[in-house]
Amino acid sequence: LLCRAEGDPPPSTRCARHGGGTGGGTGGDTGGGPGAVSRADAGRYLCRATNKHGSATRNVTVSVECEWGTRVGRWGD
C-alpha cells in the first residue's frame, strides 16, 4: 500500500492499519516499499496527507486474494 498525495507545498503522507501497526508492504512515511503481500496484509488502513494548509484522511480497505496451486514449488504446494 503506497500513500500518495498532491499539494503545494507537497504533503507528507502516512498510512497505518486501523488498530495499530503499519502492515507489510506499506509506503509513504513508513519507509516501506513494494514487497511480497500476504493474507496478513488484508484489512482496513487509514491514510493521512498533511501540509501547512491542513490534513486529509481516507479509509482504505485492502483485500488479498490467493489462488492455491498456481505457483507449484514456490509456495510449498
Side-chain angles (χ1 to χ4, degrees):
L1 182 63
L2 177 66
C3 290
R4 290 186 292 175
E6 296 179 6
D8 186 16
S12 62
T13 60
R14 179 166 306 276
C15 190
R17 181 184 295 274
H18 277 272
T22 58
T26 58
D29 289 343
T30 61
V37 174
S38 74
R39 289 181 176 171
D41 295 314
R44 293 178 39 207
Y45 291 80
L46 179 66
C47 297
R48 178 183 304 271
T50 305
N51 70 11
K52 70 178 186 178
H53 299 294
S55 64
T57 59
R58 295 290 185 265
N59 288 300
V60 177
T61 301
V62 174
S63 298
V64 178
E65 296 181 14
C66 178
E67 291 187 32
W68 294 104
T70 59
R71 297 188 183 238
V72 175
R74 183 172 178 192
W75 302 106
D77 291 341

